[in-house]
Structures are given as structure tokens and as C-alpha cells.
Amino acid sequence: MSQPVILYPNKPEKVYLFGTCLVDLFYPEAGLAGVDLLEREGIEVIYPQDQTCCGQPAYTSGRSDEARAVAKTQLDLFPEDWPVVVPSGSCAGMMRHQYPKLFEGTEDADRALKLARRVWDLADFLVNVCQIQLTDTGEPTTIALHTSCSSRREMGVADSGPALLRQLNNVTLVEPAKVAECCGFGGSFAVRHADISGAMATDKVAALTQTGCDRFLSTDCGCLMNLAGVAKKQKMALPGEHLLSFLWHRSQPNREA
Amino acid sequence: MTSSARQTILSRLRERTSQPASQPPDFRVMNTRRWSLEDGIERFIAQQASVHGDVQRVHEPDLATAVLSRLHQAGAHRVLIAPSQGLRDALVTRAQNIDFQGYDQKVEAWQSELFHQTDAAITSCHAGLADTGSLVVIPSPEEPRLMTLAPPLHIAILPVSRLFSSWYQLITEEDWTGPMPTNTLLISGPSKTADIEQTLVYGAHGPKALTVFLVDGI
Amino acid sequence: MPQTLQQSHNSAINFQPQVKSALANTQLRGNFDRAMTGLMHKRTMAFADWDLEALRDLGQAIRQQSLRQLPDLLEQLERQCQANGIQVHWARDGDEACQVVTEICQQRQAKTVIKGKSMVTEEMELNAHLEQRGYTVLESDLGEYIVQMAKETPSHIIMPAIHKNTAEIAELMHTMTGVEQREDAHYLTDQARQQLREKFMQADVGISGVNFAVADSGTLCLVENEGNGRLTTTTPPCHIAVTGIEKVVPSLTDVAPLLSLLTRSATGQSITTYVNMISRPRQPDEKDGPEAVHLVLVDNGRSDIYQDEELAETLQCIRCGACMNHCPVYTRIGGHAYGTTYPGPIGQVLMPQLLGLEQTPDFASASSLCGSCGEVCPVRIPLPSLLLRLRREAVDGDRTRASTVPGHGSKRSNLESLIWAVWRLVHRRPGLYRLTTRLASQLRALSPKRLGGWTRYRSAPKLAKTTLHSAMNNRSKRQQP
Ligand code: SF4
């Protein structure tokens, strides 16, 4: 069936943050920026300290039992009916769209489905639930955005990144060639099929470089790590940053230029 | 062997007891492809043009002249046309240097001539389809299958009154369920290929050119 | 397990080395990149004035409905065809189908066979089978003709010679047929036309595939641009149509929407030059067409796939090739690297089910699960979900469990199981997880600089100084002293 229209909730008092393990280990500043942005919107952010991983690495490796075991422990962490916001596209997709399948036919099916319906991509949440208004306090800069495949095709929120960046007056958003093509990350794919993944990532970095951007952004830590890693190895001046970190830094009113 | 194969396959298929849930087909989207007559004509011409088909709209009294001039333009000398085709007599009386003949013997008797020495064929059409710019052709004993395939130029006569919006409209209105003629064709433009590095080339194995006379007043 | 396939792939497909050499071939990568980019664009344009999602819903519903009634529709198709004078044959696997075709050729005392494009005959390796028995077999689709001349197999299910550029084809045709070596697609096409016209007239049997078999009228629908399909099915005195059993639909009404989806998805055409509907052999008063028409219904693993509700969606495929055109993996490695009849996403889903997971150990994992294939598939086959399903089958812990996927469980290794057990342990115990991650970030100076394939193309990622858990913990302490 066709993708159903997304029905967003009203702006809540509180949200849960599911940080994801990649943000936890590699990009905590992106998670913090997300918290800062939400708090500035007047939303209290609850961060359950017992969260670990959404289970995706095992799930995409065909290890459903292990994935379910780990995912099950996450089901307990969000008892109140607040939305659960996730700063990384593929983990949001895992929880929103794959949890119902993962738990289908188990005693947790109902819980998983209820949680799934409350899961949102954080950037999308800022646009469509908070209706955030950003004021640009930064110098003029040119930015390319890489939207992850999960955000684009699984979550259907590819418009939210550009919508946020267009609010920043000094930011020129440029689009790389083949903008919708995968960067080649794909979790274990990048290791099992390193050569194909490497070829895809190398092409994506070339496309991003060709835009002449000052930096590229992504909302997915997997993509970010992948592309920044290639750029660094090739000694290319293409810094990468999480969209949320960038948004927070650019939109602080008392920020010194 | 194949009777036991038949049994094995059918009973294996019937072993599946559970049937996956699915939606019943909703054909409404097919009915959105409708055009008024004038828009349909415009679309038909544009769609044919996009695949190198040439459409000339003529009034019935001018048809023979128009067809002749197309044949002259192509330098055709030997042209296939069914004896019962209404146009035939008008063409025969007016044409010079063109030999009109019927496809009146079994292909085996003259295959090489058919493939190598006929320059054009003029055929009727069952219908035209605006959506895709297609001709619906139903070969018959007088207008056999190879007539629209072997000669390098195919000229089709299509009355405006036989223009439908889409194949779906035609199929549903004429109720194409149950037995069908030996062969039925949708033809959209001359034959073509893009198998060499995506370069579009017309005249692959069939006709190199197709001209449709869209006739008012038949 | 189909015999022919087993014989030709009795060891696992050598995917990784094939991938390496494909990736290193810049010519090949350029050819695919250009072609696929163009095809994606054309598809988008072709659907611009359609409600594509509604049409895809319809396509999916028709294919699912057809499959639900599959055995009944096959019997109805058989009855109708027989009533029309078409002889119907059934074959359990590729070998049996080859034998059926051979027997018909024998009865007709045929010597030469001409073929229209047909993927199912590629699947059953019919050409090799017939050639071994002394028949001359000639492919007549231009792309197939080129591939046959080069002694290769198709690299794409719609555009068999897409891996070659004009220069390569000019050289090949010059060497093999003596035509001028001109890098001119028009010239080369015209030469092929002339060469093949003679062959059509001489052929004793024409063999074609089938795009849709219509049960209520006993009609075989063939979709093509070149006219070679029409010549193949009209000129020789005998026509043999070969099809997988899944291609049957209830009526022509169902063909119309599927056709709209097929040609636009495949090449961005609103329709092909020819849609050829064949319902009977030549009738006494007719002057051309084959006097005998045969239909061979080939199972070759399909009825097994049919047993599994989820995997049966594989059979919805109408072979448009859009999933490969949009696949970033296919685009980079091309069709030959897969080493199987069907490449790309549909190949990665279908071939492990036909050949077994042992023969195709890398197929399910060779995807970033980017979702492009599922997004474009005109009949909404959930290709990424099916790839995930096959990944689960591959590491299935219970090899005795009944599964329609041959070789399920064959990729399960003790080492990997151990790694996942540890992963599970750490991620199910929040305290342990926090401890481990905190330690890791404190010891980040020690983190490895080389991480297998990852660092072949990338620098190793650097752990952050502090974890988000710690940062959030500090933050809440600051806020609530
Ligand atoms: S799986 Fe879908 S997209 Fe791929 S060839 Fe089949 S019908 Fe086309």
C-alpha cells in the first residue's frame, strides 16, 4: 500500500530522547544539540539512562533473536505517552517501522506497536511538531545536505532537513548530483562488501565536493561517519557535521560571530 | 512426462493452504486517462510523433491523394493493399509507376519477395489509442500479420471515429474477455532499438517508417 | 533443486572477486553509470502525468490476486489455449523444459532455431542444451545477438548488452561478421537487420518468452520494440513460447495496467512499439503465422517459493528491471558480477531461492538496504524486506526447520554467534553498557587505526571524549543540584 500520510501530534510538554549508540559513542554533541534545540522550544527532554541500542545491527544481519532481546529492553524505557525523538534517521526507522515487524506474534507486539507510533526523527519533529523558527547568527556559508536513505525512503522525511536550513538566511543550500542515492554505509554492508560500499562512498564524497560546499551535513551518524571517513582518508577539505549540531551553533542569539 | 509434471506442479501449488491478505484491484486510476475528441487527437499525434510516427489528418475525399503523395515521397513502387480496402480503386486509377497488390497467397510462396521487394503496405486499423499514440491492428486473411512488419513503410488508415482514449477504455467498452483473434497488435511508431549504448535507432527488424492517416468523415 | 542450474553452479558463485574486477573496470562503470542515470530519469518523466502510487497499488493487487488463484488460472489458461489450438506443456524444472523444447524440435525435424528475448530460457540454459544436440540457435533481439556473438550472457534483463559501448560492439561485429568497424549505432543496427532477416526466413522454429499469459482468452502477450519478437513468432512454421508459471493473469483487462507499469518502469516508454497478442496458430484461411504454437509452462522452483507467504511476493515480478536501474550496487558492479541469470535486487532475492543460499552466500548481504528498489518496483515487491528475510534464513539457527529457502542456516558460524551473544549481553544490561562505552571513550587513544574493509576507503572513526550518557547525566546534575 502507498505510504500513509504522517499525522503529527501537537507540541508536547515533554519528550523522550533515544540517543542511539552511534550518537552516544561518536557524536554526543549532536544529541546535546538536539536537546538544546528542544529545550529552547520549551520542551523538557527526558533521557532514560538505561537505553542502549535499538537493535538494528543485529536485525539487519538477520539476527532477529538477538535484535529482539536488545530491542525488548528499550520497550520498557518510555512508560509515559510522550513522543520519543531520535537524532539519527536509520534508528528512528528501525523503531518506527521495523519494531512492529520484529515483535509481530510475540507477547510484546502490542507494546512495540504503541511505541513505534510515538517515534519521530528529531529534525522532522522540530519542523512539523515544534514548528521551529530559526534565526541565523552565523557568517555566510554554503552547505550540502546528505539525507539518509532511512530518512528519505523509510521515514519519508526528506523535506525536513532542507526546510530547517532554508530558515537560515546566511546559508546557501546546494544539492549534490544524484542527491537521493545511498552513500554506501548500510551498517555491516560497509564491512562485508567493503569494496562496493567504498565505491559508493567515494562517489558520494566526489558529488558533495563538486558542489563547492564549505561543509556537508547529515542527520544520520552512519552516513556521517562513512562520508567524513572517506573525505579524511582522501585528505579532502570536506568537513562533515550533524545537522542538529550545525543548527544549534548557527542559531544561538548571543553567539559571537 | 508432462502430464505428471502438470500434476506435480498443480498439486504442489495447491499445497499452500494459507492465502496472503491482499487488496482487491481498484481500476479507477485507469479511467483517469480520458480525453475529449480534440484533445485525444492532439495527444495521439504528439505521442506518435514522440516515437517517430507520422500522423496526417485528412478528410476522406483527400485521402487517396495524400496516400499517393506519401508513397511517391517514399519512392515506393510495390505496395501491398487488401483488395477490399475502399481506398484501393482510387489509388490504382490515379497512381503511375506504383504496383498495388494484395497479400493473396500463403507467405511460403513468396516470402523472399515479401521481405525484399515490397516497399510499403497500406492497412486498416481496428482502433487508435490517444494515451499512448497506438494503433490497434487485428491481422486478417486479407491483411496478414507480416503486412505490418516486413515492408519498410507501413501506412495505416485510421478513421477519427475509431479513436479511443486508452487501451483500457477500448478493452472495457468492447469487452475483450474470452476468445481473441489469432493475433492482435498494438503498434506505436516504427520498429526501433536502443540496444547499442542507448542510442535510439528506428528500423530495427520491422518497418523503418510509419505514417498514420487519421481520416475525418469515414 | 533445478538440475541445469545445479550443474552449472555446483560451487558457490564467486561474487567477491567478480565484484573487485568489475569495480576496477572504469570503462564498464562508466557504461553502467551513464545508462542507469538516463533510465532513472526517463522513468520519472514517463510517470509524470500519472497517479503513480495508485497505479502501483493496482499493479500489486492484480499480481497478488493472480498469484492467489495461480493453480486455477493455470488450468484455465491451459484449457483456453488448447481450445484455441495451442499445445500446452508443463515442465518441473529447467532440464525438463529443455527436453520439451528439444522434443518439439525433433518432431518438426528442425535444424535452426531463432529466438526472441526470453529470460526464462536463459534461466534454463536452453541455448546450450539445443546447441549440444546439434541445433543452430540464433538470438534475434539486437542486444541478445550481440551478447551471443561475444559468447557472454545478458548483463541486464531488459537491455542485455548494456555493459558494452558502441566501440566495443563495432569491433565485435567487425570481427564476427565482417562488417565495417564503424562506431555508428545506425550502421550497426542496419547491418544486424540485414543479417537477421535471412535467418528469420530460414528458421524452422521460433522460440519466445511471454510477458503476460491471459487465462480467460488463452492469449500470450509479448512486449517489444524491435519487431524481432513478432518475426520470431510469425515467420517460422512453429512457435514455442516458454514462460514461468507465475506469469499468468486472469484477463486482458489486467494486462492494461501492468503494461502501463512495465514499459514506463523499464525504459521510460509509455508503450513499446509492439504489443503482440497471440491466441492461436495460423487458421486455414490465414496466409502467415506459425502452423503450430506451443506453450511451455516452467516451474523451476517457483511452486516452492509459492509455499512461503512472504517470499511468494517474489513471484509478483513483471521483470521490468527498474530495481536494477535504481540500485546503487548494480550500477557500480554491473550484471555480470552477480554471475546469475537475474542480477540486481530481484536477482538477489530470487536466485538464493532458486539456487540455494550456499551457492549465493553473498547475495542477501550485498545491499545497503537503501530502499531504492522497493521504492520503484511497479508491483510493490518489498525487496529490502525480502533481503532481510533471506539474511535471517542464512543465519537460521535451526537447520532442521522447514523452509522453502534451500541452504537456510548455511551462513551461521560459531564465531559470529559468539560475537552476537556478547553484543546482546552488553546491550541488555544498561549498567554494563554504560561502563563499557565509558571505558571505550576514555581509552579512545587506543582505538584501532585499521578496521578491515572499512579503513581501506576511510579513516577510522574517532570515539568522542565523553558519551552522550555521561553528558546527559552531568547535565541533569547541573540542572538539579
Ligand atoms: S522486482 Fe519489481 S522492479 Fe524489479 S524487475 Fe521485478 S517488477 Fe521490476
Side-chain angles (χ1 to χ4, degrees):
Chain A
M1 282 281 99
S2 1
Q3 282 249 325
V5 185
I6 306 174
L7 295 174
Y8 293 97
N10 291 331
K11 189 171 160 183
E13 260 171 68
K14 298 181 191 178
V15 295
Y16 289 108
L17 176 69
F18 184 79
T20 81
C21 55
L22 281 188
V23 168
D24 194 22
L25 280 166
F26 294 97
Y27 297 96
E29 72 284 354
L32 290 171
V35 175
D36 287 331
L37 287 160
L38 288 162
E39 286 181 352
R40 195 170 66 191
E41 294 301 302
I43 295 175
E44 187 187 322
V45 179
I46 310 163
Y47 186 80
Q49 277 285 331
D50 282 354
Q51 58 182 282
T52 60
C53 168
C54 65
Q56 186 178 200
Y59 183 68
T60 57
S61 300
R63 296 279 178 166
S64 289
D65 293 345
E66 289 87 344
R68 205 178 297 110
V70 168
K72 192 180 158 110
T73 62
Q74 318 306 313
L75 294 182
D76 301 328
L77 303 176
F78 313 100
E80 306 288 330
D81 200 28
W82 306 117
V84 179
V85 294
V86 185
S88 207
S90 64
C91 312
M94 173 72 193
M95 297 173 81
R96 191 175 171 95
H97 295 287
Q98 307 304 321
Y99 271 18
K101 295 185 198 167
L102 182 62
F103 288 99
E104 200 181 309
T106 72
E107 56 180 20
D108 298 307
D110 199 43
R111 281 197 319 147
L113 191 65
K114 284 197 177 119
L115 172 62
R117 291 199 187 117
R118 284 194 280 145
V119 171
W120 303 96
D121 175 273
L122 206 160
D124 180 47
F125 191 83
L126 290 173
V127 179
N128 287 306
V129 179
C130 302
Q131 274 143 24
I132 195 169
Q133 296 296 324
L134 298 167
T135 312
D136 197 353
T137 57
E139 296 294 308
T141 185
T142 303
I143 292 296
L145 176 69
H146 171 69
T147 302
S148 73
C149 297
S150 323
S151 300
R152 184 182 298 279
R153 284 179 275 266
E154 192 175 28
M155 295 291 284
V157 298
D159 295 338
S160 56
L164 288 163
L165 290 168
R166 274 196 298 267
Q167 293 185 15
L168 301 173
N169 289 330
N170 277 336
V171 171
T172 309
L173 183 61
V174 288
E175 188 168 277
K178 300 194 184 177
V179 64
E181 193 180 70
C182 177
C183 71
F185 176 62
S188 61
F189 169 71
V191 182
R192 273 185 210 277
H193 296 278
D195 295 318
I196 307 174
S197 169
M200 288 162 69
T202 305
D203 288 351
K204 184 59 85 180
V205 165
L208 288 167
T209 309
Q210 266 161 24
T211 62
C213 63
D214 299 319
R215 66 181 56 223
F216 78 93
L217 307 176
S218 181
T219 50
D220 196 294
C221 297
C223 311
L224 203 55
M225 193 186 275
N226 177 35
L227 296 171
V230 169
K232 192 166 168 215
K233 176 122 181 173
Q234 297 185 354
K235 302 202 166 47
M236 294 176 106
L238 183 72
E241 192 178 356
H242 196 286
L243 173 73
L244 295 171
S245 309
F246 180 80
L247 292 177
W248 175 244
H249 287 133
R250 297 267 327 179
S251 64
Q252 290 180 73
N254 54 357
R255 179 176 179 273
E256 282 139 49
Chain B
M1 173 177 63
T2 72
S3 76
S4 68
R6 178 183 188 280
Q7 266 323 307
T8 314
I9 295 167
L10 287 172
S11 48
R12 177 78 173 129
L13 290 174
R14 291 204 162 100
E15 263 170 43
R16 182 169 95 172
T17 43
S18 64
Q19 293 291 8
S22 71
Q23 300 284 321
D26 173 359
F27 283 86
R28 274 176 305 181
V29 61
M30 299 308 287
N31 284 324
T32 60
R33 316 290 293 175
R34 290 289 169 104
W35 288 270
S36 69
L37 182 63
E38 278 313 311
D39 289 350
I41 290 171
E42 204 177 296
R43 185 175 174 97
F44 178 81
I45 295 173
Q47 288 289 91
Q48 272 285 351
S50 74
V51 289
H52 266 217
D54 154 44
V55 181
Q56 301 185 20
R57 190 170 176 189
V58 293
H59 286 278
E60 200 274 332
D62 308 326
L63 178 60
T65 317
V67 171
L68 269 185
S69 106
R70 178 67 184 95
L71 290 171
H72 283 306
Q73 184 203 358
H77 295 296
R78 194 161 172 196
V79 177
L80 296 176
I81 186 168
S84 65
Q85 168 61 250
L87 191 59
R88 190 177 183 280
D89 292 343
L91 290 174
V92 171
T93 33
R94 280 192 239 181
Q96 291 155 0
N97 292 329
I98 300 182
D99 175 19
F100 291 97
Q101 80 177 76
Y103 189 145
D104 48 13
Q105 42 188 335
K106 302 257 178 201
V107 64
E108 289 75 12
W110 70 303
Q111 185 159 264
S112 177
E113 267 176 274
L114 170 64
F115 273 83
H116 296 302
Q117 287 155 31
T118 50
D119 303 315
I122 302 170
T123 74
S124 62
C125 301
H126 177 73
L129 310 174
D131 189 5
T132 48
S134 310
L135 303 171
V136 182
V137 172
I138 302 181
S140 65
E142 287 211 336
E143 292 181 339
R145 291 157 79 163
L146 289 171
M147 232 168 129
T148 56
L149 192 57
L153 170 64
H154 174 203
I155 293 176
I157 311 295
L158 174 66
V160 169
S161 59
R162 290 299 298 164
L163 194 62
F164 287 74
S165 280
S166 68
W167 189 36
Y168 183 76
Q169 185 198 10
L170 176 70
I171 288 181
T172 44
E173 282 181 16
E174 291 189 347
D175 188 20
W176 285 25
T177 49
M180 289 280 293
T182 305
N183 187 217
T184 305
L185 298 159
L186 308 186
I187 300 179
S188 312
S191 73
K192 60 178 179 282
T193 184
D195 273 350
I196 300 181
E197 210 182 335
Q198 298 274 287
T199 308
L200 195 52
V201 180
Y202 286 91
H205 294 288
K208 298 179 175 185
L210 168 67
T211 294
V212 183
F213 287 95
L214 189 58
V215 191
D216 288 285
I218 307 190
Chain C
M1 169 72 39
Q3 277 294 305
T4 39
L5 293 170
Q6 207 171 29
Q7 277 158 13
S8 48
H9 300 300
N10 46 17
S11 61
I13 284 161
N14 243 347
F15 187 65
Q16 301 286 5
Q18 285 159 195
V19 163
K20 265 202 193 315
S21 68
L23 286 172
N25 185 341
T26 49
Q27 171 77 62
L28 187 83
R29 278 185 62 181
N31 293 354
F32 274 100
D33 182 50
R34 271 187 307 279
M36 298 304 125
T37 305
L39 286 164
M40 285 193 280
H41 176 70
K42 283 189 203 156
R43 172 188 173 274
T44 309
M45 302 305 287
F47 283 119
D49 64 346
W50 275 86
D51 181 350
L52 175 56
E53 298 314 311
L55 187 59
R56 290 175 71 217
D57 284 342
L58 175 56
Q60 176 191 34
I62 291 173
R63 289 299 297 132
Q64 289 186 344
Q65 193 194 42
S66 307
L67 288 172
R68 244 202 336 257
Q69 317 165 36
L70 184 57
D72 297 343
L73 287 179
L74 285 167
E75 283 182 322
Q76 188 189 10
L77 174 71
E78 179 187 47
R79 266 198 315 279
Q80 280 306 325
C81 283
Q82 285 169 347
N84 295 350
I86 297 175
Q87 296 169 62
V88 181
H89 313 261
W90 303 70
R92 278 167 290 214
D93 57 28
D95 248 10
E96 203 164 82
C98 286
Q99 279 170 40
V100 170
V101 172
T102 312
E103 273 163 30
I104 299 168
C105 291
Q106 269 166 7
Q107 279 161 20
R108 298 205 61 90
Q109 300 181 323
K111 290 190 182 62
T112 63
V113 171
I114 197 144
K115 283 184 69 204
K117 220 182 84 58
S118 149
M119 288 310 295
V120 70
T121 60
E122 296 280 349
E123 187 185 319
M124 55 205 240
E125 298 175 1
L126 176 64
N127 291 13
H129 184 98
L130 288 173
E131 278 162 4
Q132 275 164 23
R133 281 152 191 81
Y135 296 97
T136 307
V137 183
L138 193 69
E139 294 284 353
S140 65
D141 170 88
L142 182 57
E144 291 275 0
Y145 184 59
I146 292 164
V147 164
Q148 188 184 32
M149 230 183 275
K151 299 192 171 53
E152 292 175 1
T153 53
S155 59
H156 189 284
I157 62 171
I158 300 284
M159 287 147 290
I162 195 111
H163 56 289
K164 291 199 181 303
N165 64 17
T166 312
E168 290 166 316
I169 295 168
E171 192 189 333
L172 176 71
M173 282 185 63
H174 169 70
T175 318
M176 301 299 290
T177 69
V179 304
E180 271 178 61
Q181 188 168 342
R182 262 165 58 183
E183 284 180 37
D184 174 353
H186 292 85
Y187 169 77
L188 297 170
T189 302
D190 200 55
Q191 293 302 309
R193 174 188 170 102
Q194 288 173 31
Q195 290 163 7
L196 283 162
R197 280 221 150 186
E198 297 308 314
K199 308 288 182 189
F200 280 115
M201 288 189 263
Q202 293 154 10
D204 303 307
V205 171
I207 298 179
S208 77
V210 174
N211 292 95
F212 307 105
V214 182
D216 75 359
S217 58
T219 299
L220 312 174
C221 302
L222 277 75
V223 173
E224 56 139 353
N225 283 313
E226 294 184 2
N228 71 300
R230 285 187 62 199
L231 284 168
T232 301
T233 57
T234 313
T235 319
C238 170
H239 168 209
I240 307 174
V242 187
T243 183
I245 52 172
E246 81 281 17
K247 292 273 181 96
V248 59
V249 293
S251 90
L252 274 169
T253 328
D254 301 299
V255 175
L258 292 176
L259 180 69
S260 298
L261 285 165
L262 173 62
T263 63
R264 287 178 177 85
S265 299
T267 53
Q269 302 179 83
S270 50
I271 194 166
T272 46
T273 306
Y274 301 114
V275 177
N276 182 7
M277 289 163 264
I278 298 164
S279 304
R280 49 193 89 229
R282 185 196 301 198
Q283 301 299 295
D285 58 345
E286 291 171 354
K287 301 192 184 72
D288 58 18
E291 61 199 34
V293 178
H294 298 261
L295 174 64
V296 186
L297 298 166
V298 188
D299 180 342
N300 205 27
R302 288 160 176 80
S303 61
D304 287 336
I305 296 176
Y306 189 72
Q307 305 302 316
D308 185 291
E309 261 186 49
E310 184 184 22
L311 290 169
E313 291 186 79
T314 313
L315 302 175
Q316 281 164 226
C317 178
I318 56 172
R319 305 276 188 265
C320 72
C323 55
M324 50 202 81
N325 299 349
H326 290 74
C327 177
V329 173
Y330 176 89
T331 302
R332 282 175 182 75
I333 64 176
H336 286 152
Y338 295 81
T340 49
T341 307
Y342 305 97
I346 185 61
Q348 287 170 258
V349 168
L350 179 59
M351 296 318 299
Q353 298 184 67
L354 295 183
L355 301 177
L357 286 158
E358 278 128 325
Q359 327 274 33
T360 55
D362 297 306
F363 273 38
S365 62
S367 164
S368 64
L369 300 177
C370 78
S372 293
C373 49
E375 184 183 43
V376 297
C377 175
V379 290
R380 292 194 190 281
I381 300 175
L383 292 157
S385 306
L386 297 183
L387 286 170
L388 269 177
R389 168 68 192 280
L390 291 174
R391 289 184 190 184
R392 291 199 291 278
E393 292 286 336
V395 296
D396 186 2
D398 180 5
R399 295 195 69 167
T400 57
R401 186 181 60 88
S403 167
T404 61
V405 187
H408 72 104
S410 61
K411 280 204 83 177
R412 194 176 180 94
S413 81
N414 289 337
L415 176 62
E416 271 186 32
S417 295
L418 181 68
I419 293 171
W420 285 116
V422 172
W423 176 87
R424 169 184 164 143
L425 182 81
V426 172
H427 290 87
R428 272 177 62 82
R429 290 192 174 57
L432 182 59
Y433 171 83
R434 283 193 297 269
L435 180 72
T436 327
T437 50
R438 205 169 57 232
L439 269 177
S441 55
Q442 279 164 5
L443 299 175
R444 68 194 193 120
L446 304 177
S447 59
K449 292 280 170 292
R450 295 177 55 136
L451 297 164
W454 176 270
T455 43
R456 210 176 299 151
Y457 301 94
R458 305 165 191 84
S459 297
K462 237 172 68 214
L463 290 161
K465 280 201 197 85
T466 167
T467 63
L468 182 62
H469 275 83
S470 309
M472 288 305 288
N473 199 20
N474 295 338
R475 191 181 172 108
S476 63
K477 274 191 211 135
R478 269 205 312 277
Q479 280 168 356
Q480 292 143 343

